[in-house]
Amino acid sequence: MAEEEKKPVATEKKPFPLQVNGARGEVALWIGDVPLVIAATMGGLSAVSTRLECKSFQDLFVRLSGVEAAATLAGIELLTVKGDRLAAIDSLRLKHFPACAAAFSAALAHHFDDGDEGNVEAVEKAA
């Protein structure tokens, strides 16, 4: 029996079809074939925290970045700012959890950016 030749499969990265505003803390996330843009907005984080009954920000961070099923579903639903969140949830498989955790961590990291000084010019005018 002759062995079949295994040809390398080209893995082309498809372009991300949605606009992502990194300055706002938005992060691109593919769940299967569904593109999403997530952002750790205060309203979204509050909703996730309430749903998961988190007692602290650390608890929220650990649950979102730790690939917990309930936290991942809540994060997709409540932190998505662009894209079809319901189609993404329907496409969600365990293999997508590491990418979700990385995207949630990146979005949360935006809140700890030391370069965010706000609108300094507006503050100086008001003073």
Side-chain angles (χ1 to χ4, degrees):
M1 222 170 151
E3 287 187 34
E4 293 182 25
E5 282 187 43
K6 291 187 178 181
K7 296 181 182 178
V9 178
T11 55
E12 289 185 35
K13 202 170 188 181
K14 52 186 161 185
F16 197 76
L18 303 173
Q19 291 284 343
V20 179
N21 183 349
R24 183 176 172 237
E26 294 179 353
V27 178
L29 172 62
W30 283 102
I31 297 179
D33 289 332
V34 181
L36 296 178
V37 176
I38 64 162
T41 63
M42 293 311 292
L45 290 173
S46 176
V48 172
S49 179
T50 299
R51 180 175 295 173
L52 299 176
E53 298 179 0
C54 294
K55 302 297 181 206
S56 66
F57 184 76
Q58 180 180 0
D59 185 26
L60 176 64
F61 181 84
V62 167
R63 293 182 75 183
L64 281 172
S65 62
V67 296
E68 180 184 323
T72 301
L73 287 172
I76 292 168
E77 181 182 346
L78 300 168
L79 300 179
T80 295
V81 293
K82 294 178 192 160
D84 188 344
R85 67 191 74 192
L86 296 179
I89 290 171
D90 191 45
S91 298
L92 187 65
R93 303 292 178 264
L94 289 177
K95 67 181 180 180
H96 302 125
F97 278 49
C100 292
F104 295 147
S105 294
L108 287 164
H110 176 72
H111 287 279
F112 299 104
D113 183 12
D114 290 337
D116 185 15
E117 297 175 10
N119 189 344
V120 176
E121 186 178 312
V123 171
E124 289 173 354
K125 284 182 181 179

